[in-house]
């Protein structure tokens, strides 16, 4: 019984809040991901040195492999977003157990979403993990064999600002990688990158 008021509170808080649709999320990624990659200088890697490595390039474009499904945007990143944008409001989602007044509850069990957006650029060639498996490239051919992970996009209640997290893990995911939180803002009905924060490095 003691959980009922608490659960009702969270249900009421979530009523009337528009969730971002899958189509909207894909459109935002198509708008902001390339500027993000350019800003963090993601393409600064040594050039191909032999024919085997050259096979993974198309017109000298760097291959970037993207995980097929979204990762989790954790509650700490959402809380930091609200600290940065003090006039914004947002219901904090989390797939983790959260402690409130000594009671452990789960606010929301976030579900992974399938990614299928399309990107075209002069510097990069993009491929989702599932596409890569069909190419049968082995480790000697795959010069750039790490994977880029993207979280679900979370918008504030006004639907004018938002955030997502991004991670890169190299071929041996336990030895190197980096993470970022990306803040986005809607200006003249178009989504732009507002700020990119480095969150971890290994």
């Amino acid at each position: 019984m003691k959980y009922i008021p608490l659960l009702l509170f969270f249900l009421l808080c979530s009523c009337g809040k528009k969730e971002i649709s899958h189509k909207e999320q894909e459109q935002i990624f198509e708008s902001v991901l390339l500027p993000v990659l350019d800003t963090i200088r993601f393409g600064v890697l040594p050039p191909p040195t032999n024919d085997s490595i050259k096979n993974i390039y198309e017109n000298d474009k760097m291959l970037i492999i993207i995980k097929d499904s979204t990762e989790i945007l954790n509650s700490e990143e959402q809380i930091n977003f609200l600290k940065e944008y003090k006039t914004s409001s947002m219901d904090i989602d989390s797939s983790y157990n959260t402690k409130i007044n000594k009671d452990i509850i789960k606010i929301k069990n976030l579900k992974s979403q399938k990614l299928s957006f399309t990107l075209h650029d002069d510097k990069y060639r993009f491929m989702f993990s599932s596409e890569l498996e069909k190419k049968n490239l082995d480790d000697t051919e795959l010069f750039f064999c790490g994977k880029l992970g993207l979280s679900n996009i979370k918008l504030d209640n006004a639907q004018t600002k938002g955030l997502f997290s991004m991670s890169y893990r190299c071929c041996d995911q336990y030895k190197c990688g980096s993470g970022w939180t990306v803040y986005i803002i809607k200006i003249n009905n178009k989504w732009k990158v507002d700020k990119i924060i480095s969150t971890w490095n290994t």
Side-chain angles (χ1 to χ4, degrees):
M1 292 294 291
K2 64 180 180 178
Y3 294 104
I4 293 176
L6 194 57
L7 291 173
L8 285 173
F9 170 76
F10 283 107
L11 285 172
L12 288 171
C13 284
S14 62
C15 286
K17 304 302 181 187
K18 180 186 175 186
E19 294 290 333
I20 182 173
S21 70
H22 181 263
K23 182 180 179 181
E24 287 174 305
Q25 176 163 272
E26 301 285 273
Q27 289 172 338
I28 293 173
F29 279 135
E30 289 174 354
S31 298
V32 303
L33 191 54
L34 289 172
V36 170
L37 294 175
D38 286 341
T39 301
I40 63 175
R41 295 172 61 80
F42 200 78
V44 179
L45 284 175
T49 56
N50 58 49
D51 291 340
S52 178
I53 290 173
K54 187 77 173 177
N55 288 339
I56 70 163
Y57 284 76
E58 181 182 356
N59 300 322
D60 295 324
K61 293 182 182 182
M62 189 179 81
L63 174 65
I64 295 180
I65 304 157
I66 304 174
K67 293 181 180 179
D68 288 86
S69 299
T70 56
E71 299 178 333
I72 291 170
L73 179 67
N74 67 49
S75 56
E76 183 180 0
E77 290 171 300
Q78 296 169 67
I79 291 167
N80 288 338
F81 170 86
L82 291 175
K83 289 178 181 176
E84 178 72 23
Y85 301 101
K86 299 189 186 328
T87 59
S88 291
S89 60
M90 175 189 288
D91 298 329
I92 304 299
D93 295 333
S94 175
S95 66
Y96 302 102
N97 288 333
T98 303
K99 191 170 184 179
I100 299 178
N101 296 329
K102 299 182 180 179
D103 291 327
I104 303 296
I105 67 163
K106 184 168 283 189
I107 296 177
K108 186 176 181 182
N109 186 17
L110 295 179
K111 293 182 180 178
S112 195
Q113 293 187 28
K114 183 78 172 175
L115 292 170
S116 59
F117 56 84
T118 303
L119 295 169
H120 300 285
D121 187 71
D122 293 336
K123 298 180 294 298
Y124 309 114
R125 178 165 62 107
F126 297 93
M127 187 181 295
F128 287 102
S129 297
S130 55
E131 298 175 80
L132 180 70
E133 292 167 6
K134 298 172 186 175
K135 298 288 183 182
N136 295 320
L137 298 180
D138 60 35
D139 289 342
T140 59
E141 292 179 289
L142 203 52
F143 173 65
F144 186 76
C145 55
K147 291 182 181 178
L148 190 71
L150 300 168
S151 78
N152 53 302
I153 295 172
K154 177 75 176 177
L155 301 183
D156 67 0
N157 292 336
Q159 306 278 295
T160 57
K161 298 182 183 71
L163 75 155
F164 64 91
S165 65
M166 188 171 76
S167 68
Y168 167 70
R169 294 190 182 276
C170 59
C171 312
D172 186 342
Q173 61 178 324
Y174 300 107
K175 289 190 176 178
C176 70
S178 300
W180 303 266
T181 303
V182 181
Y183 295 160
I184 56 177
I185 187 167
K186 200 172 194 179
I187 301 174
N188 296 327
N189 214 33
K190 292 183 179 179
W191 286 101
K192 307 286 186 182
V193 177
D194 194 38
K195 187 175 290 190
I196 303 171
I197 300 167
S198 177
T199 51
W200 60 270
N201 282 284
T202 56

